[in-house]
Amino acid sequence: MAAHRKPRQRLVGRNSARTAATIALAGAATTTGFDGTGHAEPELTPAQVKSSVDKLYQEAEAATEKYNGAKEEAESAEQRLKELRDEAARKEDRLNSARDALGSVAAAQYRSGGLDPALQLALSSDPGRYLDGAEFVERAGSRQTAAVRRVRRQLREIEQLRGAAHIELESLQSRRTELKQHRATITGKLGSARRLLSQLTAEERSRLTTGTDRASRSSAGVLQSLAAPGSVRSPDSRAAAAVSYAYRKLGSPYVWGATGPNAFDCSGLVQAAYRSAGVSLPRTSYAQISAGRRVSRSELAPGDLVFFYSGISHVGIYVGNGQMIHAPRPSAPVRVAPITEMPFAGATRVV
């Protein structure tokens, strides 16, 4: 028995050691953050927060331009669908009228019994009048055949319209799905930016924006004086009108998807400025770059559109002296800024 107890004691010892090691490892994991609670993420510096927030805003703006494009396409599909449905309804009204007319003719034939023409001639009390009537019936029969052909053609046209309307409806539903996806991306990016900014003190947040705001106001004052007659000239009166509109909107808030008159996103400001000058532009920055003649950076003149980032996700209106007016992001209103502020992608002269 004693020999039997001794091994059991060694086994218990090994189990105790294994248990102690497990507890120690668990404690080490807790202190190193393996369970997600013992190790705090290092706090970001204000500069790191600014860098991350700027990236999130740029990504949100890229999604905003895609949202704007999908919205424009959805509105076009919705309009086409309405027109197709209206046209189909008009053709159906005409078809119903044609069917009613054919039904009346068929009913009259049924009531007449459809007698053989020779028999009707033999039974007629006035053969001359009958022959006149037979000629009319023959002509009427030709018109009836043509009416049937028209009804068949109208039926084919209505089916074609219904097919086209179905395609437009599918397109509209697809665009609406895109809108939801882009909206979710935008709100997610902006929410992440707000959470990052909330890590800073009010003073740190102010320092991130105050310097830029002050520089913007200073630049705006200088440029407005330069824009007096005879100083910085636009190549066209409509370009000058667009620049003037942009100056009047300095300080307006950035709101994604907005086209004025009191709030804008970047392409919305450009579209509204040129709309005020009587020029129609596409809704998105990546479409606006193809709305005129491309110009080099050295050729820039007030009123030219300047584009940024490889995906053409941001646009501003050049106002001279290396400066533009643009709607930057949700935390910054419409302002004057140097075109060197972002990666330059190209420029277009609209007029």
Side-chain angles (χ1 to χ4, degrees):
M1 292 296 291
H4 178 64
R5 279 193 217 89
K6 194 170 183 182
R8 283 189 65 185
Q9 288 171 350
R10 284 197 298 270
L11 179 62
V12 170
R14 285 198 299 272
N15 286 341
S16 298
R18 186 182 296 114
T19 301
T22 302
I23 293 172
L25 181 59
T30 301
T31 58
T32 55
F34 290 168
D35 64 350
T37 58
H39 178 71
E41 289 292 330
E43 290 188 5
L44 298 177
T45 66
Q48 289 172 325
V49 168
K50 181 181 185 304
S51 176
S52 297
V53 166
D54 286 346
K55 186 173 187 297
L56 285 165
Y57 280 149
Q58 195 273 318
E59 291 170 348
E61 187 163 52
T64 296
E65 291 304 297
K66 291 178 182 176
Y67 172 90
N68 292 337
K71 185 171 183 289
E72 188 175 46
E73 289 173 2
E75 289 169 351
S76 297
E78 197 164 13
Q79 180 61 31
R80 288 193 299 269
L81 179 60
K82 179 181 181 301
E83 291 170 355
L84 287 168
R85 284 173 170 170
D86 288 346
E87 187 178 356
R90 288 192 297 271
K91 286 187 179 294
E92 284 174 354
D93 286 342
R94 289 196 292 271
L95 175 63
N96 290 335
S97 298
R99 278 173 165 169
D100 290 343
L102 286 174
S104 298
V105 172
Q109 288 178 341
Y110 177 79
R111 286 193 298 270
S112 71
L115 294 175
D116 182 82
L119 182 57
Q120 291 185 41
L121 175 59
L123 296 175
S124 174
S125 60
D126 187 346
R129 180 177 294 178
Y130 170 78
L131 289 172
D132 291 340
E135 184 181 356
F136 170 77
V137 169
E138 187 177 348
R139 289 198 304 270
S142 299
R143 288 197 296 272
Q144 188 175 332
T145 302
V148 170
R149 283 199 298 267
R150 283 196 297 273
V151 166
R152 287 175 177 167
R153 186 180 66 250
Q154 287 171 336
L155 281 169
R156 286 196 300 271
E157 289 173 351
I158 289 170
E159 285 306 307
Q160 288 171 351
L161 287 170
R162 285 175 176 166
H166 180 71
I167 292 170
E168 288 300 340
L169 180 60
E170 288 183 337
S171 174
L172 177 59
Q173 290 170 340
S174 177
R175 297 293 83 74
R176 285 174 173 168
T177 299
E178 280 186 50
L179 285 173
K180 289 180 183 177
Q181 292 170 345
H182 295 318
R183 185 185 292 115
T185 300
I186 294 163
T187 54
K189 299 288 185 184
L190 296 181
S192 297
R194 283 192 295 271
R195 285 190 293 274
L196 277 172
L197 288 170
S198 70
Q199 297 177 13
L200 304 179
T201 65
E203 183 180 351
E204 286 170 335
R205 286 196 298 271
S206 178
R207 276 201 300 267
L208 287 181
T209 58
T210 302
T212 308
D213 287 339
R214 188 182 299 116
S216 175
R217 288 193 295 270
S218 174
S219 296
V222 171
L223 286 169
Q224 281 174 321
S225 66
L226 286 173
S231 298
V232 180
R233 291 185 178 275
S234 296
D236 180 276
S237 60
R238 290 168 295 177
V243 169
S244 178
Y245 179 94
Y247 271 118
R248 292 197 301 274
K249 297 303 176 179
L250 288 174
S252 299
Y254 178 105
V255 174
W256 66 270
T259 59
N262 301 314
F264 306 88
D265 61 20
C266 70
S267 57
L269 174 65
V270 167
Q271 187 185 49
Y274 269 95
R275 185 171 59 237
S276 75
V279 178
S280 178
L281 290 181
R283 177 63 184 90
T284 63
S285 57
Y286 53 79
Q288 288 171 354
I289 196 170
S290 301
R293 178 174 66 86
R294 297 293 291 272
V295 294
S296 68
R297 192 164 178 169
S298 61
E299 295 176 295
L300 285 174
D304 290 345
L305 308 185
V306 282
F307 299 89
F308 304 90
Y309 300 105
S310 58
I312 318 298
S313 59
H314 190 77
V315 60
I317 300 176
Y318 188 72
V319 293
N321 299 297
Q323 305 285 315
M324 65 177 171
I325 294 177
H326 70 144
R329 56 183 182 270
S331 64
V334 174
R335 59 174 54 168
V336 177
I339 63 171
T340 54
E341 190 173 70
M342 291 169 285
F344 186 80
T348 292
R349 183 160 300 160
V350 175
V351 290

